[in-house]
Amino acid sequence: MKHAASFFRAGCLVAVACLNVGVANAQSFGSSSIIPQDQQAQSVTSQGQGADGQQAQQQAQQAVEDQPRANWNSANYGPVDPDQPPVDPNMLPPFGANLFTGGFRGVMADGLNPGYTIKPGDQINLRVWGGTEMQSVLTVDSQGNIFLPGIGPLNVQGTSNSELNSRVTSAIKSVYPENVQVYTNLQGVQPVGVFVTGYVKNPGRYSGTPSDSMLYFLDQAGGIDQTLGSYRQIAIKRGGRIVDTIDLYDFLIDGNMPHPQFRDGDTIVVEERGPAVAVVGDVQRPFRYELAGESLTGGDVTNLARLRSGVSHVLLRGDRPEGPIARYLTLDEFRTAEIERGDEVMFSADQRAESIVVQVEGSYYGPSRYVLPRDAHLGEFLNAISVPKSMTSYQDVSIRRESVAEQQEESLNESLDRLEQTYLGYPARTTGEGEIQVRQAELIERFVQKARQTEPTGRLVVARNGDIADIRLQDGDVVTIPESSDSVLLSGEVTIPQAMVYTPGMSAEDYIRQAGGFTPRADDDQVLVVHRNGAVIRVGDTDVRAGDEILVLPAAPTSNIELATSITQILYQVAVATKVALDL
């Protein structure tokens, strides 16, 4: 079984060559820096700018301009994704859709706020003491008067609650000018019935007090119809004429809400929804925004929408009398653009950062994170870092890169998927074969479950044999500069996994023998040397260096040669991606 697995060693070596970065363009280490300054790579924009390069660029530019396919300055063209049709505003929820989930109907106002104006039917508690005494609950009659004992009628209709006490006090002191104290309190208000109609869910007549807000009555009617109702045109009618028009956007955005005092028989009418635009993209929530008129400016839309950080551009699509338009504008240009009904406004954070952040770990002086130009290369970066020369392993520099880890994980998952598809679908012809396949399926399921839990390191090999590849850095890279080591680590299927002192001239087999040899589950054909630069190489193809790890892989626990070979390949792939000998 172990020898059968060796048939695929050539294929595995090809896999290692693909995972380990080549160093064809590597530069030699300098005596005072990792890569000589005069050998560092230049940015892409500065390469090939000799006479031949400039001539080729001019020819390419001329070739593009010879046959223009469109007038790129026209508003009829823009960077539109053909796979993404324009968004219909009717398919989005309206801005303010969650307004009537706040429980406005739960609490009725008592009408005793200072701005309340007194009307017939209200009750006033009056107390007078001092030169004369009286205590009574007075009701405002149909003519708007209250009757003060010993004084006569006093008209209080239209007087605000805050002015009531001073008005009554003046009337009493006109008869009892000295040593009189007066206290008034609006004890109760007359309830009103208000009609709510138009584009609401449950039109009807609802009771409340004159001081209740319009939202209180709308909420009792089930709120505004989200498909047809307007949030910006809500009329209050009294006696057949409009006495006030309210725009709920003022409340939704700024918290401003007019407080008209309702009368019995008033009518709240929610008008039909006006023209709307769709606002999507990098916003907190995509909404349909209703226009106050037939159009508005991009600045108005920007003020309405809640943009995410980093928004830099806007895609404007819509129909005009002259034809469809698609404009891709900067955020500043968009503020002056005219927005019309049915338009789609897509905000986008589409501005590439001109800097990247790179982290350093291992043996170095100074900070661990650096902000670099977007075209920075490894060589110039390493030359700017101070390291303790006597303690640093220059030849083992490597990079951990997120994109490499994602590729390793994707490749491993594809291999595991192929393993399951290949060996879990065979039909059994006999009872014996069925039992074997059941045990084989259990083995594969356990193995796949463990293998999927491994996490690739994303290690990118950039150094080998004293040379280093001067590659371009990417945002999020972690550059590892290892500290010098005098040990060799043994792991995997060895009798006593341990760290040993490095001895020049000793082979991997010598170290394994000193660690007690192989375990019964070891595959002695699958012994790997993991260098600290990230390279994973089979024993016999490399020498053991100080700081290396000797990794012994387990043998596949099956007598099926094909299955054992597939498992062995995946074990090798896991070891390369994670530096772990998966325990079977």
Side-chain angles (χ1 to χ4, degrees):
M1 176 184 64
K2 297 179 181 178
H3 296 290
S6 64
F7 295 157
F8 292 85
R9 293 180 62 180
C12 293
L13 288 173
V14 173
V16 176
C18 294
L19 289 171
N20 295 339
V21 175
V23 290
N25 296 324
Q27 305 294 337
S28 299
F29 290 118
S31 59
S32 60
S33 63
I34 294 182
I35 293 183
Q37 187 73 23
D38 60 352
Q39 296 181 11
Q40 294 176 8
Q42 302 299 318
S43 65
V44 175
T45 56
S46 64
Q47 293 178 357
Q49 293 300 316
D52 295 339
Q54 292 178 354
Q55 183 177 2
Q57 185 177 8
Q58 292 173 357
Q59 291 175 352
Q61 182 70 19
Q62 184 64 32
V64 172
E65 295 175 352
D66 281 345
Q67 296 179 347
R69 292 172 295 168
N71 177 11
W72 300 110
N73 293 323
S74 169
N76 291 325
Y77 297 93
V80 180
D81 185 356
D83 297 329
Q84 185 177 9
V87 177
D88 184 359
N90 295 320
M91 302 304 294
L92 294 175
F95 177 61
N98 59 345
L99 178 60
F100 295 100
T101 61
F104 293 112
R105 76 178 79 175
V107 180
M108 180 187 297
D110 56 14
L112 304 182
N113 57 301
Y116 175 77
T117 56
I118 297 171
K119 61 183 183 59
D122 292 346
Q123 293 181 331
I124 300 171
N125 187 8
L126 172 65
R127 292 185 180 182
V128 180
W129 68 95
T132 185
E133 293 186 1
M134 66 179 72
Q135 180 174 346
S136 179
V137 177
L138 308 176
T139 301
V140 182
D141 61 24
S142 60
Q143 298 181 20
N145 298 323
I146 57 174
F147 190 85
L148 299 175
I151 298 174
L154 174 67
N155 187 279
V156 293
Q157 182 175 352
T159 303
S160 67
N161 188 18
S162 61
E163 298 172 346
L164 176 63
N165 194 77
S166 62
R167 183 172 179 82
V168 174
T169 301
S170 297
I172 293 176
K173 286 192 173 184
S174 64
V175 178
Y176 304 98
E178 297 180 359
N179 193 26
V180 173
Q181 303 295 324
V182 179
Y183 172 78
T184 60
N185 176 38
L186 188 61
Q187 182 170 300
V189 298
Q190 190 74 10
V192 296
V194 175
F195 296 95
V196 183
T197 187
Y199 292 93
V200 293
K201 293 182 180 180
N202 303 306
R205 184 178 185 272
Y206 299 95
S207 62
T209 68
S211 295
D212 282 322
S213 73
M214 185 187 66
L215 294 176
Y216 171 80
F217 293 103
L218 287 175
D219 200 8
Q220 289 193 90
I224 296 173
D225 187 317
Q226 295 190 13
T227 303
L228 300 174
S230 172
Y231 282 75
R232 311 203 69 172
Q233 293 289 329
I234 303 174
I236 299 177
K237 290 187 175 181
R238 181 175 299 155
R241 64 184 184 87
I242 297 176
V243 296
D244 201 356
T245 300
I246 295 178
D247 184 348
L248 287 182
Y249 276 23
D250 294 335
F251 174 71
L252 290 167
I253 297 173
D254 300 321
N256 298 325
M257 170 61 73
H259 290 283
Q261 183 162 312
F262 289 99
R263 297 181 184 178
D264 192 65
D266 282 354
T267 302
I268 298 173
V269 182
V270 177
E271 305 288 350
E272 183 180 5
R273 192 198 82 196
V277 298
V279 177
V280 295
D282 290 328
V283 293
Q284 298 299 332
R285 283 194 64 183
F287 280 122
R288 177 183 73 231
Y289 287 90
E290 185 180 350
L291 307 184
E294 289 297 318
S295 66
L296 71 165
T297 66
D300 297 329
V301 176
T302 304
N303 293 335
L304 290 173
R306 291 296 179 261
L307 308 184
R308 294 178 181 173
S309 61
V311 170
S312 59
H313 290 77
V314 184
L315 173 62
L316 173 62
R317 290 194 286 190
D319 292 322
R320 299 289 187 272
E322 61 273 14
I325 67 163
R327 300 173 181 171
Y328 199 58
L329 310 170
T330 65
L331 193 57
D332 289 338
E333 293 171 342
F334 174 71
R335 294 183 185 277
T336 59
E338 185 177 358
I339 314 300
E340 297 185 4
R341 65 165 64 207
D343 284 353
E344 175 197 357
V345 178
M346 180 182 294
F347 290 94
S348 175
D350 193 16
Q351 193 167 6
R352 182 181 299 178
E354 293 302 320
S355 60
I356 60 175
V357 178
V358 175
Q359 185 177 348
V360 187
E361 64 180 11
S363 178
Y364 66 95
Y365 295 121
S368 61
R369 287 179 173 82
Y370 291 82
V371 177
L372 305 176
R374 192 159 54 89
D375 61 348
H377 283 68
L378 178 61
E380 57 182 334
F381 176 58
L382 292 177
N383 285 345
I385 298 176
S386 300
V387 297
K389 292 185 177 180
S390 61
M391 300 172 57
T392 305
S393 181
Y394 296 99
Q395 73 273 18
D396 290 324
V397 173
S398 64
I399 294 177
R400 284 193 288 117
R401 180 168 289 177
E402 184 177 351
S403 60
V404 174
E406 293 174 353
Q407 293 171 2
Q408 290 174 333
E409 183 176 9
E410 181 180 357
S411 176
L412 176 59
N413 287 330
E414 289 176 354
S415 298
L416 294 172
D417 291 340
R418 287 195 299 270
L419 177 65
E420 291 179 314
Q421 295 169 4
T422 303
Y423 296 103
L424 295 183
Y426 284 159
R429 292 172 294 182
T430 65
T431 304
E433 284 187 0
E435 294 176 354
I436 294 174
Q437 288 188 9
V438 169
R439 292 194 297 270
Q440 179 176 292
E442 293 175 352
L443 168 66
I444 293 174
E445 289 178 357
R446 289 196 303 269
F447 174 71
V448 169
Q449 183 178 5
K450 285 188 176 183
R452 291 195 191 277
Q453 293 175 352
T454 60
E455 296 183 3
T457 62
R459 185 71 61 181
L460 191 63
V461 181
V462 295
R464 187 179 296 156
N465 299 328
D467 294 332
I468 184 168
D470 193 16
I471 66 171
R472 186 172 65 85
L473 296 171
Q474 294 183 7
D475 187 51
D477 280 353
V478 180
V479 179
T480 304
I481 308 175
E483 187 173 318
S484 299
S485 175
D486 296 323
S487 64
V488 174
L489 177 65
L490 283 85
S491 61
E493 297 299 328
V494 292
T495 302
I496 307 175
Q498 60 182 294
M500 294 184 174
V501 176
Y502 170 71
T503 303
M506 283 185 62
S507 64
E509 290 80 3
D510 296 333
Y511 286 107
I512 292 173
R513 280 195 296 271
Q514 290 190 11
F518 296 105
T519 66
R521 297 189 305 172
D523 186 348
D524 54 12
D525 288 333
Q526 298 291 330
V527 181
L528 309 177
V529 176
V530 182
H531 293 308
R532 287 193 300 165
N533 63 357
V536 181
I537 306 174
R538 291 182 179 276
V539 166
D541 297 332
T542 186
D543 295 328
V544 178
R545 302 199 303 256
D548 285 349
E549 179 180 357
I550 299 173
L551 193 63
V552 180
L553 301 185
T558 176
S559 58
N560 185 318
I561 295 179
E562 292 183 356
L563 178 58
T565 302
S566 298
I567 292 178
T568 300
Q569 287 180 312
I570 296 176
L571 285 170
Y572 186 83
Q573 191 174 358
V574 170
V576 170
T578 66
K579 297 199 302 182
V580 173
L582 191 63
D583 182 13
L584 298 180

